[in-house]
Amino acid sequence: MYSKEQLIEKLDLQKHPEGGYFKETYRSEISLSGSSLPSEFDSARSASTCIYFMLTSDEFSAFHKVNQDEAWHFYMGERILLHMISPEGEYSKVNIGSDFSSGETPQFVVPAQHWFAAEVNNENSFALVGCTVAPGFDFKDFELAERKQLQKKFPKHSELIKKLTR
Ligand code: GUN
């Protein structure tokens, strides 16, 4: 098993603003014009992108949302608990991992516009996953939650939002 530090070095991972570490591994050379995309995309985007994403148990991926569906693929390590709040305020969660008999799933798609956050609950461990989006990722489509604003929007999830925002 690799350590967190070894993976950061071997996979050339960088700190992600939401928490965790990432590296973009693929960016399609196909460009989709702004006019061919739904109105939330303000300009052209690559057709698709993929990243490695590593999350450790000593931090969390803070609540954020993106304009496109995001497919998560489990590679190695401990399971990730992914929390979601739909635009209507409905909470759901999923365990992404490889222990299928315990209900973990190796692949999961977070729907566009859902607020989501993630954590690795087993101590001293990490998870390595892949995240794929289409159209491709652009920080213009990414919004990191502001704690007070999100709590105001979804008061019944206030405690969870407090735990998983910075
Ligand atoms: N590229 C940079 N950050 C991200 C992210 O959070 N998700 C995806 N899919 N690609 C990214």
Side-chain angles (χ1 to χ4, degrees):
M1 212 19 150
Y2 296 102
S3 67
K4 162 185 168 180
E5 290 73 23
Q6 283 171 325
L7 273 186
I8 290 172
E9 194 198 315
K10 291 244 175 277
L11 301 180
D12 190 25
L13 305 177
Q14 309 291 323
K15 207 72 195 101
H16 198 288
E18 77 196 40
Y21 298 82
F22 81 109
K23 159 123 181 142
E24 191 172 276
T25 51
Y26 169 70
R27 176 164 288 268
S28 170
E29 290 189 0
I30 297 172
S31 175
L32 304 175
S33 67
S35 60
S36 70
L37 292 168
S39 59
E40 57 273 26
F41 299 94
D42 64 344
S43 54
R45 298 284 185 274
S46 164
S48 177
T49 54
C50 302
I51 56 168
Y52 293 136
F53 181 64
M54 183 184 69
L55 190 60
T56 55
S57 50
D58 55 8
E59 62 170 337
F60 57 83
S61 160
F63 269 107
H64 63 285
K65 67 181 174 82
V66 290
N67 280 335
Q68 55 276 74
D69 298 336
E70 183 166 69
W72 287 52
H73 312 264
F74 186 77
Y75 297 144
M76 65 188 287
E78 298 297 322
R79 69 168 177 235
I80 284 188
L81 172 57
L82 188 72
H83 303 269
M84 285 160 284
I85 304 174
S86 75
E88 296 75 34
E90 244 170 74
Y91 172 79
S92 58
K93 65 180 175 183
V94 64
N95 280 300
I96 299 176
S98 57
D99 188 356
F100 311 140
S101 57
S102 304
E104 297 173 14
T105 182
Q107 194 183 91
F108 185 79
V109 180
V110 181
Q113 308 295 345
H114 281 48
W115 290 97
F116 62 107
E119 52 184 342
V120 175
N121 283 322
N122 294 13
E123 270 175 40
N124 300 319
S125 58
F126 67 82
L128 178 68
V129 298
C131 298
T132 303
V133 288
F137 188 87
D138 189 308
F139 274 104
K140 288 191 253 178
D141 303 316
F142 171 93
E143 185 179 345
L144 198 56
E146 202 285 310
R147 179 181 286 163
K148 288 242 145 45
Q149 271 178 21
L150 202 64
Q151 285 175 321
K152 202 168 160 202
K153 194 160 188 201
F154 302 122
K156 70 176 173 188
H157 306 306
S158 203
E159 276 307 304
L160 182 71
I161 293 167
K162 183 176 175 198
K163 183 179 165 207
L164 296 173
T165 49
R166 296 190 175 84

